[in-house]
Amino acid sequence: MYLDNSATTRVNDEVLEEMLPYFNEEFGNPSTLYSIGRESKKALELARQRIADSINAKSDEIIFTSGGSESDNLAIKGIAFKLQKKGRHIITSEIEHPAVKETLYFLESLDFKVTYLPVYENGIIKIEDLKEAITPETILITIMHGNNEIGTLQPIEEIGQIAHDNGIVFHTDAVQTFGKVEIDVEKQNIDLLSVSSHKINGPKGVGAIYIKKGIRLVPLIHGGGQERGIRSGTENVPGIVGFGKAAELACSNLEEHAQKQSKIRDEIIEKVLDKIPEAYLNGDRNQRLPNVINFRFKAIEGESLILLLDANGYQTSTGSACSSKTLEASPVLTALGLDPVDVHGSLRISLSPDTGDFDVDDFVDVIAKSVERLRQMSPLWNN
Amino acid sequence: MYLDNSATTRVNDEVLEEMLPYFNEEFGNPSTLYSIGRESKKALELARQRIADSINAKSDEIIFTSGGSESDNLAIKGIAFKLQKKGRHIITSEIEHPAVKETLYFLESLDFKVTYLPVYENGIIKIEDLKEAITPETILITIMHGNNEIGTLQPIEEIGQIAHDNGIVFHTDAVQTFGKVEIDVEKQNIDLLSVSSHKINGPKGVGAIYIKKGIRLVPLIHGGGQERGIRSGTENVPGIVGFGKAAELACSNLEEHAQKQSKIRDEIIEKVLDKIPEAYLNGDRNQRLPNVINFRFKAIEGESLILLLDANGYQTSTGSACSSKTLEASPVLTALGLDPVDVHGSLRISLSPDTGDFDVDDFVDVIAKSVERLRQMSPLWNN
Amino acid sequence: MDYSDKVMDHFANPRNCRPMEDADGVGQVGNPTCGDLMTIYIKVEDDKIADISFQTFGCGAAIATSSMITEIAVGKTLDEALAISRNDVAEELDGLPPIKMHCSNLAADGLQAAIENYYETHQS
Amino acid sequence: MDYSDKVMDHFANPRNCRPMEDADGVGQVGNPTCGDLMTIYIKVEDDKIADISFQTFGCGAAIATSSMITEIAVGKTLDEALAISRNDVAEELDGLPPIKMHCSNLAADGLQAAIENYYETHQS
Ligand SMILES: Cc1ncc(COP(=O)(O)O)c(C=O)c1O
Ligand SMILES: Cc1ncc(COP(=O)(O)O)c(C=O)c1O
Ligand code: FES
Ligand code: FES
């Protein structure tokens, strides 16, 4: 049972089927003049329209990229380099994905100033903090929509409103929310929005960025002038086709998927908190993605827990996929103000629309037994 | 008959087959801890080894990207930003691909100085020019291996030698030569090399960069630290698997493919020059890719020629795929010193290993008739 | 590039594509250095375009618009012919890709130049 | 993360994982703030490790290396036990991912600390 859909998802069968002809039949370069390029071009534009429709944008406001990370880098560096003469101050939150955070660290090395808004115990920024952080030098606010580790949602509509009241560009990383929570770039005052295909049962290596008409930025990848000069490189046609289809499937069934998943989510939360002593939910109980849960268990370490769960057939995660390489404590959990020891005992469970019906009781039972077992081994438990 | 393989290629059936399981069976994130991520990780490393083997590199010198354009941008900006304190001068040629050229224009806007070496009528730089261009400020030489429009090959081994004699980093864009002409990064003194999957019957949206051990550069895409921190973003596992397989197929049969294609190439060149008056070959007759031909025909315009050829079942191109969007005269042909009028009459024919046997006589006949027909319409012919 | 069937038809089977030795007016526009040159020939009778032909060095759209404008113009009075706009040409061809609209400009300009040449050589 | 079968076996079925009330030496290393804490207990007879056990808060490798070092050390003289290196532990486990080598360090350090604690409490 795969329960790590925040890390990546399985490509939907319908999506794969729609992609296939573009590998070896309609394989033309969409920029070419003759007949074989025309089909690719059409397919590209259909995908663009589908992404646009799903966030209430126009199709010429959508630029395809290689994924969420590239979209984040393009948005942030693109605006920073474009507007650096206007100001060099950027506002973000303490719990951004590394694709945003590391990009901001890079800009700091170039003498940009960055304010990291705190998120408090519930994992959500305070609007007053944002208002106070704004200076005449502020050119960009980049605050994510839904967090990839704990699943909390930020009040982006209000953030966007404040940005616009102050003439500041607003970017949001919607990689985790796209296709799961409704997004309306008009209503939510969004100027730039990053999305990624592989989080919504589309293929890996494809993403997009919404760029509101009128917003200009410096390209990240210069070259042949594809994607209206904003993102050069021969277009990944099959990938883009798959992303378009995945977006259509996710967004046209959004309500239904969200309801189904949040029902399982709530059942797991209730039963785990009920059955396991010293178990806690990380992040706000209500302001969260329908498909993400993040627990912490006292006195045990997360990696050993997910290995035990894996051995029992449940694939989960400690949090972000990347952190398994650095062995560092999760900066997101740390930002919640938790005791440093407790930060290591996290478990993220993330669902997807293709998560079949499963036996929540068995799953919770396996978690409970595994936690108990690791606590018996732990010198921190009952010591 | 598809004869525009310099623009893009059909994905080989064996390649596609090897990719398929990674979309919806082994779809795990290679960074995750549990079992399903392990297969992806293994597949990734096998692909890396295959690319490394095909250019005589070590596998940890290969970083995957989203394509040739990203690799070029990463190499050039990465070195420029890393070494800008050492110097701000870069040397290149006049006929680089836009992914290199536009990146250099961008750096010029940041006060880097760039020398564009001329290529003369044969489309090849002169080593003396290179030697003269070097200054104590020079940090990077970026000169392509094989040109995408006219197919000429640059003397990269000598260029690399001169770069190293002067303590300068050498990057070469090998997007057109990889899998077609032998590459040995050791022997050819290469520090950084860009390659792309969709030019060798692999999928679009995948590429790689070879970074010689010890060379450091600033990342283009910051984030979760994938690809040893040099290129963040969830890896495009199926794409990378496909690229690895395509590289293996191309490079293990390189000699045979090259011979087969250059035989067809030579036959087309001879017959066209023989049958059609005022027809010329662009670029050196011998120092060229086995699969690329570029002609020019007096008094006709290229687009109308390729439309006629397409109507007759032959899909060709005027040159680079990108130029069809700008309508500008090809800067590559202009750099050869041709009469500006003649620059518009070009035809590029590019083969691939999967170009079946075909009737060269019929093809040449169709070209001859089409050229004649357009000349009859042209006010420039016999006027 | 997305050419309509009508563009492709006029490109592949251009109407009135020939030089005209005894033309009453000849207009040439475009610049071969930029990849296009168009010559329009007209024969005038009773202030009407009695015959018209063209020669074009240029892209598919340039050839198709040349061909189309000869069909539109033939039989028209010179004043009517002068009023033909690039949009008229593009419309008759069921549209042109945005980047190719200037090619139809060329055709309209060429016809205008031919008529002006006729006036210059015949009415002064 | 690529754990060998042996690592997974020692992780899933750890040997000698229990507190030891009447230990002769106890060593504790690691730092729970960094995600690892290891306690090694030894019982010494005739200058040899007669019994050994552990408790570990940490990753899979930390648990497996703890378990493995108890198997390696039991029956050895204290001098022999002191000579056990992190490489010995990793080797016995058929290797560890590079990023996890420090976990076996922890196990070797823990054993060393337990022996030192035994010397301090028994031989002075
Ligand atoms: C919130 C968030 N932003 C950005 C990314 C990066 O997306 P990608 O892996 O497509 O580069 C991810 C996922 O890894 C994410 O969860
Ligand atoms: C020489 C050369 N460099 C770079 C590129 C860019 O590669 P990609 O389209 O994979 O971004 C191409 C092809 O488009 C090329 O021919
Ligand atoms: S004539 Fe210039 S592009 Fe058509
Ligand atoms: S105990 Fe620190 S990672 Fe293993």
Side-chain angles (χ1 to χ4, degrees), chain B residues 301 303 327, chain C residues 3 34-38 57-62 99-100 102-103 106:
Chain B
E301 196 275 343
E303 188 207 293
L327 301 181
Chain C
Y3 285 142
C34 305
D36 42 38
L37 187 73
M38 198 181 280
F57 160 80
C59 70
I99 199 171
K100 291 292 188 178
H102 84 274
C103 315
L106 215 59

Side-chain angles (χ1 to χ4, degrees), chain A residues 301 303 327, chain D residues 3 34-38 56-63 99-100 102-104 106:
Chain A
E301 196 274 344
E303 188 206 293
L327 302 180
Chain D
Y3 285 142
C34 305
D36 41 40
L37 186 72
M38 196 180 284
T56 291
F57 160 79
C59 71
I63 290 170
I99 199 171
K100 292 291 188 178
H102 85 273
C103 316
S104 54
L106 214 60

